[in-house]
Amino acid sequence: MITLLVPILSLAQVSADSLKSDTGMSAEYKSEHRSQFKIRMSPFAAIASSAGIAYGFVKLGNHGLSDLDIAARHEFALEHPHSKFRVDDYLQFAPGALVLGLSAAGLKGRNRTIDQAGIYLLSNIILTVSCQSLKRITKVPRPDGSSNAFPSGHTAEAFASAEFLSQEYGARSLAYPISGYAAAVATAYYRMYNNKHWLSDVVAGAGIGFLSTRASYWLYPKIKKLLSANENGRSVLLPSNGHNAVGAAMICYF
């Protein structure tokens, strides 16, 4: 269990650090006076998330790290017989759903509900394209014998959602990022517990998910500005979800 938590919880610590460096907030919540989208990437955040992704790639050609994957699988999935507990299929979305639920209920976050939805959608597009592309390129077998293990899409979604919750409501209370990252770590654990992913899959997925949300905060205002520049409202953004992929298309009329 320690083998899993050390690299993954290093990403969770990023959230606590960013509450100070990214927001500069006091105990009083002042979302109306701060930049809604501008968040800084600390060196620790960049190193921790990049290291998680790099670890997954290095493992692909490293026998030592492959042996670590096998040992982790034995500890989490094979040591004691157990039935699958597929809470990870739902837990991955819990932090993101909490953000939209709190905002819809009237509790102010960093952004308005419509912008939160846009950021979350964009984050999902980024992580889905990244994960699905890597799965098809690497074709790593899963521990249970099925295909396309690397990286873990569930873990990427969970960490993207956790960072989304942290950015939107972390300045209100540390309980939000802590609960979000707890759900993310639990999702990663259950992906291995259910014999669906290797340790390296979930570590890389955590890095991809975290960076996907950070990237969405940087990209979203630029996309929003592009759409707003069309005064006649002749640009339409159409989200789509199908065939295990999330996407979007923009139609512009000239």
Side-chain angles (χ1 to χ4, degrees), residues 87-196:
V87 66
D88 45 312
D89 287 338
Y90 311 99
L91 195 59
Q92 60 177 323
F93 299 110
L98 179 59
V99 170
L100 300 178
L102 290 173
S103 185
L107 186 64
K108 268 191 175 182
R110 178 190 288 266
N111 294 286
R112 298 177 305 160
T113 305
I114 185 65
D115 290 325
Q116 289 175 341
I119 291 167
Y120 192 43
L121 172 62
L122 183 57
S123 175
N124 273 266
I125 292 172
I126 295 170
L127 73 87
T128 300
V129 170
S130 300
C131 289
Q132 293 302 320
S133 298
L134 288 173
K135 285 176 183 292
R136 286 166 172 73
I137 292 170
T138 59
K139 298 180 180 179
V140 176
R142 295 176 187 265
D144 65 0
S146 56
S147 60
N148 297 338
F150 179 80
S152 169
H154 281 64
T155 306
E157 174 63 45
F159 274 81
S161 294
E163 179 60 13
F164 179 47
L165 175 60
S166 175
Q167 290 300 329
E168 289 297 326
Y169 288 100
R172 280 190 174 274
S173 170
L174 277 173
Y176 291 111
I178 289 173
S179 61
Y181 274 99
V185 172
T187 299
Y189 169 79
Y190 277 111
R191 293 311 284 164
M192 294 189 295
Y193 177 89
N194 291 323
N195 205 32
K196 298 298 291 184

Side-chain angles (χ1 to χ4, degrees), residues 235-248:
S235 294
V236 181
L237 183 66
L238 300 174
S240 63
N241 188 356
H243 301 290
N244 297 318
V246 177

